[in-house]
């Protein structure tokens, strides 16, 4: 019996195991945004310079993105349970080390390790969902994952603000990391007991594509570095890394094709990109994350630096988005089986409408009441976000063979990290450029949010194009069958599932 043919665990254990995955996913994604409001505390408590603060934020995103695809492939080959538990343990230890860091330099180092560990955990979560659930249950499980993604990203500033308000600015930043310790230990202990053990596939073990890892890693590094360091690296020389990134990623593509022709196991099965559902879904995800994650970056900065909000008050303003995102994602997990890509189109329209409402609120209600005026638009945007992330993840991965689920999830989430970094660079450049020219802060935040809306509209165009294409040319099942054969999988137990 192969890994993918193994019977799923009993219902109660499957859903409990999913809870373990979601808890680990929550703390790893929370750390992408929780530190944003803690940067002034780090400067006061440990003397973190502007460059060190930048690396605390961007270094985590960088190593997170670098680890995703290799870790996903490693989980596919050696077992997702083992990879998940190792990544979770490393993340918990690294979080504790960040909280105990005696200097800014040690904090940056431990933060890089923490990001690598988060990148190990994330693709195992989507792979385990593919492995444990099928059909409508899988859509529901991805709906819950979408809730976690939306809530953890949006709730980060609120959680950070609460901790700093409770502990104080001198040591509050340390508790931003210490909060991961009890959750990580509890999730690890539960994971040892609940995560299913799937038998290893018979026959010769596949070799790990180390050269492919080096090509992909260096390409993603060259692509993300100028994006995550856009504000800190002055001048245009940093953009010279972009052609290098294109060359390295092109070489990776050629290498992976060669691996496939020689019958060797590639790091990324390029036949996956013959599935329109996977390719379009990954592009939609990249574009959407480039737009929506930037909102919390510039909006909370504006509230703290220009309106006079505390870290806690700034975090509270995004609570409507976080709560509505959780509700929308849970509903999206149930409705995606019925409505398919239409649900993503509706969700993206809701996010764009909500952000335009925030732009109007800044214009019509200037001053400290802007947080209250933005609550309803953020609520609408949060519902739209929930209806976007969860259904899009389900539709993107629905035809992916289970044996390649980890690597496919890694590709999808790498796009999300690259999109987030690119979006913050573009929207941040618009926001800070207007401030640098002595423009009004209210106008700067409006221009930044309108730029984010433009990026989200790009995702909407892709979703509409995919929806129209499905009506004219439904994707043939033989394409999915091609991917299955290209992945070296066979048997009724490994049949690629049909999806919208």
């Amino acid at each position: 019996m192969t890994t993918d043919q193994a019977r799923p665990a009993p219902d109660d254990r499957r859903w409990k195991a999913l809870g373990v995955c979601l808890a680990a996913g929550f703390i790893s994604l929370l750390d992408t945004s929780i530190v944003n409001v803690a940067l002034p505390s780090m400067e006061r408590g440990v003397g973190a310079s502007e460059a060190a603060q930048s690396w605390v934020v961007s270094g985590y995103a960088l190593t997170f993105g670098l680890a995703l695809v290799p870790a996903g492939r490693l989980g596919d080959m050696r077992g997702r349970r083992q990879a998940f538990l190792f990544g979770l343990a490393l993340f918990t230890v690294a979080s504790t080390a960040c909280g105990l860091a005696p200097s800014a330099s040690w904090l940056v180092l431990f933060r890089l390790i923490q990001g690598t560990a988060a990148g190990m955990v994330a693709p195992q979560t989507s792979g385990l969902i593919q492995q444990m659930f099928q059909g409508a249950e899988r859509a529901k499980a991805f709906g819950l994952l979408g809730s976690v993604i939306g809530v953890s990203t949006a709730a980060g500033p609120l959680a950070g603000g609460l901790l700093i308000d409770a502990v104080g600015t001198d040591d509050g930043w340390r508790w931003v990391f210490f909060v991961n310790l009890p959750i990580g230990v509890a999730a690890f202990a539960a994971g040892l007991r609940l995560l299913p053990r799937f038998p290893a596939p018979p026959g010769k073990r596949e070799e790990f594509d180390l050269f492919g890892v080096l090509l992909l890693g260096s390409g993603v590094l060259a692509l993300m570095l100028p994006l995550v360091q856009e504000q800190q690296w002055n001048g245009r020389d940093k953009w010279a890394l972009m052609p290098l990134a294109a060359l390295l990623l092109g070489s990776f593509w050629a290498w992976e094709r060669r691996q496939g022709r020689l019958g060797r196991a590639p790091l990324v099965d390029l036949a996956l990109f013959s599935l329109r559902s996977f390719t379009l879904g990954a592009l939609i995800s990249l574009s959407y994350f480039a737009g929506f994650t930037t909102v919390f970056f510039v909006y909370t900065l504006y509230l703290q630096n220009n309106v006079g909000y505390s870290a806690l008050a700034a975090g509270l303003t995004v609570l409507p988005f976080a709560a509505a995102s959780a509700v929308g994602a849970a509903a999206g997990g149930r409705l995606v089986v019925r409505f398919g890509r239409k649900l993503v189109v509706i969700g993206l329209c809701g996010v764009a409408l909500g952000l335009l409402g925030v732009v109007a609120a800044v214009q019509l209600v200037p001053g400290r009441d802007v947080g209250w005026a933005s609550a309803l638009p953020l609520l609408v945007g949060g519902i739209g976000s929930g209806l976007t992330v969860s259904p899009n993840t389900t539709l993107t991965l629905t035809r992916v063979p289970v044996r390649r689920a980890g690597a496919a999830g890694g590709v999808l989430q790498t796009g999300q990290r690259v999109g987030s970094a690119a979006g913050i660079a573009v929207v941040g450049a618009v926001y800070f450029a207007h401030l640098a020219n002595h423009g009004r802060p209210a106008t700067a935040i409006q221009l930044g949010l309108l730029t984010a809306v433009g990026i989200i509209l790009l995702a909407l165009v892709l979703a509409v194009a995919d929806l129209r294409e499905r009506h004219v040319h439904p994707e043939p099942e033989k394409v999915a069958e091609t991917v299955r054969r290209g992945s070296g999988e066979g048997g009724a137990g490994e049949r690629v599932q049909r999806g919208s």
Side-chain angles (χ1 to χ4, degrees):
M1 180 178 290
T2 67
T3 301
D4 300 335
Q5 291 171 316
R7 292 184 178 181
D11 283 358
D12 58 338
R13 291 183 65 86
R14 270 191 300 154
W15 292 104
K16 290 177 181 178
L18 175 64
V20 173
C21 295
L22 297 183
F26 178 81
I27 56 176
S28 61
L29 289 170
L30 185 75
D31 268 57
T32 62
S33 59
I34 194 173
V35 299
N36 288 340
V37 297
L39 296 178
S41 176
M42 292 177 192
E43 182 179 10
R44 181 171 179 175
V46 77
S49 64
E50 183 178 333
Q53 293 175 46
S54 171
W55 272 101
V56 166
V57 176
S58 61
Y60 182 86
L62 187 64
T63 53
F64 194 141
L66 289 173
L68 283 165
V69 174
R73 182 69 184 118
L74 192 64
D76 291 342
M77 293 172 56
R78 300 292 187 259
R80 297 181 184 113
R81 180 181 187 273
Q82 296 91 317
F84 177 91
L85 290 173
F86 178 80
L88 178 57
L90 181 61
F91 180 87
T92 305
V93 171
S95 297
T96 306
C98 285
L100 296 173
S103 67
S105 298
W106 281 107
L107 174 59
V108 170
L109 175 62
F110 294 139
R111 182 72 168 159
L112 295 175
I113 297 172
Q114 187 192 33
T116 303
M120 295 185 65
V121 170
Q124 316 312 329
T125 298
S126 59
L128 284 166
I129 289 175
Q130 291 277 86
Q131 204 162 7
M132 293 189 296
F133 301 96
Q134 296 181 2
E137 281 193 340
R138 181 181 291 175
K140 181 180 179 182
F142 274 125
L144 294 172
L145 178 61
S147 297
V148 167
I149 292 173
V151 171
S152 58
T153 304
L158 172 60
L162 285 170
L163 288 168
I164 292 170
D165 187 68
V167 181
T169 55
D170 287 345
D171 292 317
W173 69 269
R174 296 187 184 274
W175 287 92
V176 164
F177 300 108
F178 286 151
V179 73
N180 295 328
L181 181 58
I183 302 174
V185 170
F188 183 85
L192 285 174
R193 184 170 59 90
L194 295 171
L195 290 178
R197 296 177 182 270
F198 290 95
K204 184 180 178 181
R205 269 193 168 189
E206 295 178 343
E207 294 184 2
F208 192 62
D209 184 8
L210 183 58
F211 187 65
V213 171
L214 293 175
L215 282 176
L216 179 62
S218 55
V220 172
L221 180 64
L223 178 64
M224 290 188 68
L225 262 180
L227 296 174
V228 299
Q229 292 295 105
E230 198 276 335
Q231 295 297 321
Q232 284 68 40
W233 289 359
N234 297 322
R236 299 180 179 179
D237 293 346
K238 57 179 175 285
W239 301 115
L241 287 173
M242 288 297 186
L244 176 61
L247 177 63
L248 289 168
L249 293 175
S251 300
F252 169 74
W253 188 274
W255 172 259
E256 295 299 284
R257 290 188 63 183
R258 179 176 181 272
Q259 292 289 93
R261 286 196 302 267
L262 295 177
R264 299 171 184 167
L267 181 66
V268 176
D269 188 353
L270 299 182
L272 290 171
F273 292 97
S274 64
L275 290 173
R276 189 183 64 248
S277 57
F278 181 80
T279 303
L280 264 295
L283 290 174
I284 291 169
S285 182
L286 185 152
S287 303
Y288 177 66
F289 272 76
F292 115 93
T293 54
T294 60
V295 174
F296 311 110
F297 173 64
V298 294
Y299 186 56
T300 55
L301 273 180
Y302 167 73
L303 292 177
Q304 290 183 84
N305 295 342
N306 303 114
V307 185
Y309 278 36
S310 66
L312 175 58
L316 283 170
T317 59
V318 298
L319 184 59
F321 189 102
S325 179
V327 174
R334 295 192 301 269
L335 297 174
V336 66
V337 176
R338 179 180 177 185
F339 294 103
R341 187 66 73 189
K342 293 178 183 177
L343 202 60
V344 178
V345 172
I346 294 171
L348 289 168
C349 290
V351 177
L353 182 63
L355 294 188
L356 289 174
V358 176
V359 172
V362 172
Q363 177 66 32
L364 299 174
V365 190
R368 296 187 64 85
D369 289 334
V370 68
W372 290 105
S374 299
L376 181 58
L378 286 174
L379 189 74
V380 173
I383 293 174
S385 181
L387 294 178
T388 299
V389 176
S390 163
N392 186 65
T393 301
T394 302
L395 295 170
T396 303
L397 298 178
T398 190
R399 293 176 182 265
V400 173
V402 175
R403 189 173 176 179
R404 294 292 185 255
V411 171
L412 181 64
Q413 293 177 73
T414 298
Q416 294 173 359
R417 296 305 108 208
V418 172
S420 296
I424 288 174
V426 172
V427 175
V430 172
Y431 175 74
F432 289 116
H434 190 79
L435 291 178
N437 291 327
H438 307 290
R440 292 175 59 246
T443 304
I445 186 62
Q446 288 174 312
L447 291 173
L449 291 176
L450 287 173
T451 304
V453 171
I455 298 171
I456 289 170
L457 290 179
L458 173 61
L460 178 60
V461 169
L462 292 169
V464 171
D466 186 41
L467 183 62
R468 294 185 63 182
E469 182 70 14
R470 287 172 186 274
H471 286 301
V472 178
H473 301 293
E475 187 172 36
E477 284 298 315
K478 64 181 181 181
V479 177
E481 184 69 16
T482 299
V483 175
R484 184 183 66 79
R485 288 200 303 267
S487 301
E489 295 171 14
E494 297 176 37
R495 186 177 295 114
V496 179
Q497 290 197 359
R498 302 185 180 188
S500 298

